[in-house]
Amino acid sequence: NVAGWPAYYQSPSFHELWVDTASYPPRLTWIDTLVNKGLSTGNSGSTQWINVESKSKIFKVDPVAFAMKLANPSDPNALINELVFLFYGPSISQAVKDSLKLTYLLKGQSTDFYWTAAYNSYIANPTSPGDEGKQVPKQLQDLFAYMFSAAEYHLH
């Protein structure tokens, strides 16, 4: 089932009919809007990890604020492991975790220190983080968007 909704039993797909070629593209559009563009709403409330601009009633995920709530966001391995746990539930292979880390946090660099230095630089001074920290919000935004659009997220 999906979030408590009873499964729609019709062979041969049974409970898997809720994600298909008709429902998946709108899900991706929703993710892109929420993470990258922002969503117009009449709701003026917010949580600590959703950024709300009160004049335009736009909100979107604030990936830095969300990451700051995690146990050790400056460690790329701990960050990926915690995001996988939160977003996917069941674990994924170490190879996929390593690929996420290399692609989105390390940007092809060979050592974990690249992310640690960039993240710490950004957190220390978000308005002027230094060259290595300038991309931290975008890196997290891209990581979240990818993870939310992955099959593991939709099939959990």
Side-chain angles (χ1 to χ4, degrees):
N1 68 34
V2 179
W5 289 93
Y8 178 67
Y9 292 104
Q10 182 180 23
S11 65
S13 300
F14 299 104
H15 64 286
E16 297 170 355
L17 290 175
W18 66 274
V19 65
D20 58 20
T21 57
S23 64
Y24 190 61
R27 286 170 176 260
L28 296 181
T29 300
W30 169 255
I31 291 163
D32 180 56
T33 300
L34 188 62
V35 175
N36 295 316
K37 298 174 186 160
L39 182 69
S40 294
T41 179
N43 181 0
S44 61
S46 70
T47 68
Q48 293 180 355
W49 56 272
I50 294 178
N51 179 26
V52 176
E53 300 172 17
S54 60
K55 290 181 184 177
S56 61
K57 305 281 192 212
I58 299 276
F59 73 89
K60 68 178 188 174
V61 172
D62 182 341
V64 175
F66 186 89
M68 289 174 63
K69 302 285 183 189
L70 302 178
N72 190 6
S74 64
D75 176 345
N77 297 299
L79 177 60
I80 293 291
N81 284 332
E82 194 162 1
L83 291 175
V84 165
F85 174 77
L86 291 171
F87 297 164
Y88 297 162
S91 190
I92 57 176
S93 73
Q94 188 60 47
V96 174
K97 290 179 188 179
D98 290 343
S99 177
L100 289 171
K101 178 179 76 169
L102 184 66
T103 302
Y104 294 99
L105 300 181
L106 301 185
K107 293 293 186 184
Q109 300 295 316
S110 60
T111 65
D112 291 351
F113 183 74
Y114 173 80
W115 170 254
T116 302
Y119 180 82
N120 289 336
S121 173
Y122 182 83
I123 296 304
N125 190 0
T127 58
S128 182
D131 289 339
E132 68 275 359
K134 288 180 182 174
Q135 293 298 314
V136 166
K138 180 70 172 141
Q139 286 172 268
L140 287 171
Q141 184 179 35
D142 291 347
L143 174 63
F144 282 28
Y146 177 81
M147 291 182 78
F148 288 153
S149 65
E152 290 86 352
Y153 181 80
H154 295 272
L155 297 176
H156 176 269

